[in-house]
Amino acid sequence: MIKNDDGISYVRYSVGEKYDKTMSADGAVIEANNNVLVCTVGLSNISVVEKRAIKCGSIKFSVCDIDEITFVGLQIGRCLQFDMPFNMRLYNEFRLRKIKDGESYAVLMILVENKTNIIQNIRMISLGEKNSKRLYELSQKQWEHNLPDYNRRLKRVRETYSIEQIIKKGESNE
């Protein structure tokens, strides 16, 4: 953890260094921190195609709400796709600022080799204006209204919808 001159703490990430978190399985998670989203993609035995797709391939996000569970869908090229539940209630404070017209949240994407926990790639991209506004709106709703049985609902959604269906539902909201 590093502090800048204003006393704000941040973490510096570098390709080839150990990641400060561990993934319990292959997949992706998205977290909010100081109005920046951090999307960690953790994979075992990362292929050259996967590594290249994250480094310079097409990346598309979608945001949707299914049974009051917010999902951020992620399509990386033609080789990877993930549905990432996002729950603002997991934080002790609301971590996103309202997006103005023409703005978007930045997304720091980090590719980690799960076997070694070494960062393989880092890329900064935009969530997009519509997705940013939708994520803020859904996060605000989560923050104001505690969702009972979150884990049970999440499990039910995962049993009912495929990753492709969740991504497609998010795309239909664009």
Side-chain angles (χ1 to χ4, degrees):
M1 188 75 71
I2 300 168
K3 282 193 178 189
N4 67 11
D5 293 340
D6 297 327
I8 297 172
S9 296
Y10 64 95
V11 177
R12 182 188 60 110
Y13 295 111
S14 297
V15 172
E17 291 186 2
K18 278 258 194 219
Y19 192 49
D20 63 337
K21 300 174 184 173
T22 55
M23 302 277 289
S24 59
D26 286 6
V29 296
I30 193 156
E31 300 171 287
N33 194 7
N34 295 327
N35 296 310
V36 173
L37 300 172
V38 178
C39 176
T40 305
V41 177
L43 300 173
S44 301
N45 302 316
I46 300 170
S47 73
V48 172
V49 172
E50 293 165 336
K51 199 173 188 179
R52 204 171 125 139
I54 290 190
K55 181 177 183 180
C56 59
S58 166
I59 295 179
K60 187 173 183 182
F61 288 101
S62 63
V63 177
C64 71
D65 178 13
I66 302 173
D67 195 19
E68 299 183 75
I69 304 288
T70 299
F71 285 93
V72 177
L74 173 60
Q75 178 77 42
I76 303 170
R78 295 180 182 201
C79 61
L80 296 168
Q81 49 184 325
F82 303 98
D83 59 353
M84 301 174 288
F86 182 80
N87 186 356
M88 186 59 76
R89 298 285 297 195
L90 295 177
Y91 302 106
N92 58 2
E93 62 187 8
F94 195 81
R95 293 191 174 190
L96 297 173
R97 70 172 173 78
K98 191 168 185 171
I99 292 296
K100 297 176 188 169
D101 289 343
E103 292 183 341
S104 169
Y105 295 124
V107 181
L108 176 63
M109 294 204 51
I110 302 172
L111 175 63
V112 177
E113 168 58 59
N114 278 344
K115 288 183 175 181
T116 61
N117 214 42
I118 299 294
I119 298 172
Q120 301 296 309
N121 252 320
I122 297 174
R123 183 173 175 185
M124 183 67 86
I125 59 173
S126 167
L127 186 63
E129 181 181 357
K130 287 182 181 178
N131 284 328
S132 295
K133 286 183 176 183
R134 181 85 172 129
L135 182 62
Y136 179 86
E137 170 190 303
L138 294 173
S139 296
Q140 191 70 38
K141 203 158 81 171
Q142 282 178 336
W143 189 252
E144 293 170 358
H145 308 287
N146 191 20
L147 180 61
D149 303 324
Y150 180 89
N151 290 330
R152 184 182 54 77
R153 287 176 186 229
L154 176 59
K155 184 176 188 269
R156 187 172 60 221
V157 170
R158 290 262 164 110
E159 290 170 346
T160 306
Y161 295 89
S162 68
I163 293 171
E164 293 84 4
Q165 289 172 315
I166 291 172
I167 290 172
K168 194 169 258 338
K169 183 161 176 48
E171 289 171 349
S172 69
N173 290 325
E174 294 179 355

